[in-house]
Amino acid sequence: MFLKNCWYVAALNHELIDGRLLGRTLLGERVLLFRGESGTVFALNDRCPHRGALLSRGRLEGDGVRCMYHGIKYDGSGKCVQIPGQDMIPPKLRVPGYPVVERSPFVWVWMGEAAQADPALIVDLPYLHDPQWKGIPAYLHYDANYLLIVDNLSDFSHLAFVHTQTLGGSEEYAFVTKPTVIERQERGFRVERWHLDSDPPPFHQKVIRDKTAKVDRRNIATMLVPGIFTMETLFAPAGQGAQAGNVAAAKEYRNCQFMTPETERTTHFFWSYLNNFEGEDTTISRSLLGSLIEGFMEDKAIIERQQRTLEEDPGFQMLAILADAPLAHFRRVLGKLIDAEQAGAPSQSSGTRPTTATG
């Protein structure tokens, strides 16, 4: 059960270079993504309606694709424009298409009702286009339901135990810090958390000169339907009054992650982790990419095992603790939107423009 009337990240734009025909399953549907010779990105159902051959195994021609089973060609809208040896083209011989928008470095697709696909509803992340912010977008595949990844990102306390030597820094984070803000929103939640007078976590130590100086650390996380996570992280010299607004000499990061269901039990996971202090030194972005992959692989091992555990015992019910309040709210919001969509009611996902929290 997926929410379809909303935008999902379908690909990184560099996956569509050199005329590549990218076949990718999204929300249980096979989708073909490609960039035509005009530079426009298209998304079609990845199935030739003639005999069901995969169009992703076809050939790019102009702004269209030719099925390499019987040579039938379709344009970017899915309309059949040529049948070898036949002048008459049956009107029904066309490929369903999907609204698609490229917002570098991501390609977004709308899997629901095309009439509701307003590009203004794509979450606004201005730092992705600000030259001050540098980062390297990336992708992972999870053998787990996307909501288990959402759950993982909805709770800061796991940083202390899963990522002690990578993204977290110490178990102290879970014991001595509590959210200073928990904001339930129409489409998700926002949580703010401070960790004062702490050691820099390993990923941050790798990219700063003074690796032992204490820092005041702030995380502001937002999770939005259908599975869009952003986090603003700030490290300021300890004791200088960052909580009161004195953020001189602070170093900041912007984390954006997108969970797109592949199937009920597998997920496409896209992200970009950006910083505002590297200048032209791309080694910092490369170091951060390596640290994030290391940390995400720690999550991945737990989440994929969690998926298998739930499949082994379908009657198992996960029990909540206080830290689960944001993720419980998110699941309620998402569930109501899915119920409304399947009942044919107007969906909030097509009527409210999402925004992200600011520092």
Side-chain angles (χ1 to χ4, degrees):
M1 294 177 63
F2 306 121
L3 186 66
K4 292 196 170 184
N5 285 324
C6 57
W7 292 99
Y8 289 91
V9 172
L12 300 170
N13 58 4
H14 72 245
E15 293 184 281
L16 304 181
I17 64 173
D18 299 329
R20 182 181 181 189
L21 299 177
L22 176 64
R24 179 159 282 165
T25 299
L26 306 171
L27 281 63
E29 299 182 32
R30 287 188 176 272
V31 177
L32 165 66
L33 298 149
F34 66 95
R35 185 187 305 280
E37 291 183 3
S38 69
T40 303
V41 174
F42 300 97
L44 300 175
N45 186 274
D46 190 12
R47 181 176 62 193
C48 178
H50 174 227
R51 286 294 183 266
L54 293 180
L55 292 175
S56 56
R57 297 181 182 176
R59 184 171 70 204
L60 179 69
E61 293 188 7
D63 275 359
V65 59
R66 186 180 298 278
C67 177
M68 295 305 289
Y69 188 15
H70 296 95
I72 300 174
K73 182 179 178 180
Y74 304 90
D75 67 14
S77 72
K79 178 183 177 182
C80 180
V81 294
Q82 188 180 59
I83 303 174
Q86 178 177 326
D87 295 331
M88 189 276 292
I89 297 178
K92 291 184 178 180
L93 193 65
R94 64 177 300 119
V95 182
Y98 307 89
V100 61
V101 172
E102 182 176 9
R103 297 273 175 88
S104 183
F106 303 108
V107 175
W108 297 78
V109 68
W110 183 280
M111 300 295 292
E113 296 294 329
Q116 299 185 37
D118 182 356
L121 297 174
I122 297 174
V123 64
D124 184 22
L125 301 173
Y127 43 82
L128 285 173
H129 316 291
D130 185 339
Q132 179 186 3
W133 292 92
K134 305 293 179 63
I136 302 172
Y139 167 88
L140 277 175
H141 181 272
Y142 276 72
D143 287 326
N145 182 278
Y146 79 108
L147 287 176
L148 295 180
I149 308 173
V150 170
D151 290 351
N152 170 267
L153 293 169
S154 299
D155 178 15
F156 283 114
S157 63
H158 88 277
L159 286 171
F161 300 99
V162 180
H163 306 304
T164 307
Q165 303 301 321
T166 53
L167 308 179
S170 73
E171 292 187 8
E172 178 191 53
Y173 186 82
F175 288 98
V176 305
T177 74
K178 290 183 173 60
T180 57
V181 175
I182 298 180
E183 178 185 328
R184 291 172 174 81
Q185 301 179 344
E186 182 183 8
R187 296 180 55 84
F189 64 82
R190 174 182 178 272
V191 177
E192 181 174 345
R193 193 163 185 158
W194 283 87
H195 189 193
L196 302 177
D197 195 30
S198 64
D199 292 324
F203 84 94
H204 186 54
Q205 288 181 6
K206 291 178 182 178
V207 297
I208 58 176
R209 291 185 178 179
D210 190 345
K211 303 182 184 305
T212 59
K214 297 286 188 177
V215 295
D216 290 340
R217 177 183 188 178
R218 182 195 69 193
N219 285 328
I220 300 175
T222 303
M223 182 70 77
L224 298 172
V225 169
I228 298 171
F229 175 80
T230 64
M231 184 163 68
E232 302 177 6
T233 298
L234 176 144
F235 292 101
Q240 77 170 20
Q243 277 188 302
N246 181 11
V247 294
K251 288 181 167 53
E252 296 189 61
Y253 301 95
R254 295 291 183 269
N255 188 352
C256 50
Q257 301 172 24
F258 309 92
M259 283 65 71
T260 299
E262 179 182 45
T263 66
E264 289 281 358
R265 66 170 317 281
T266 57
T267 303
H268 302 295
F269 179 68
F270 304 89
W271 83 89
S272 186
Y273 195 75
L274 304 102
N275 73 90
N276 69 347
F277 58 88
E278 78 173 23
E280 300 304 316
D281 184 7
T282 59
T283 58
I284 293 179
S285 283
R286 295 179 184 278
S287 174
L288 293 170
L289 176 63
S291 293
L292 265 291
I293 291 175
E294 185 179 8
F296 289 155
M297 294 306 289
E298 293 170 333
D299 284 327
K300 192 171 185 286
I302 292 175
I303 294 169
E304 291 184 339
R305 177 59 254 189
Q306 185 185 14
Q307 175 71 38
R308 295 196 298 273
T309 297
L310 296 173
E311 290 173 341
E312 290 167 358
D313 184 4
F316 173 71
Q317 294 292 319
M318 295 182 285
L319 301 178
I321 60 175
L322 288 177
D324 296 331
L327 68 89
H329 170 72
F330 179 87
R331 286 204 177 212
R332 283 194 297 270
V333 168
L334 179 62
K336 289 179 180 178
L337 288 170
I338 291 174
D339 289 344
E341 183 175 282
Q342 294 191 345
S347 172
Q348 294 180 30
S349 64
S350 61
T352 303
R353 179 171 181 168
T355 57
T356 57
T358 59

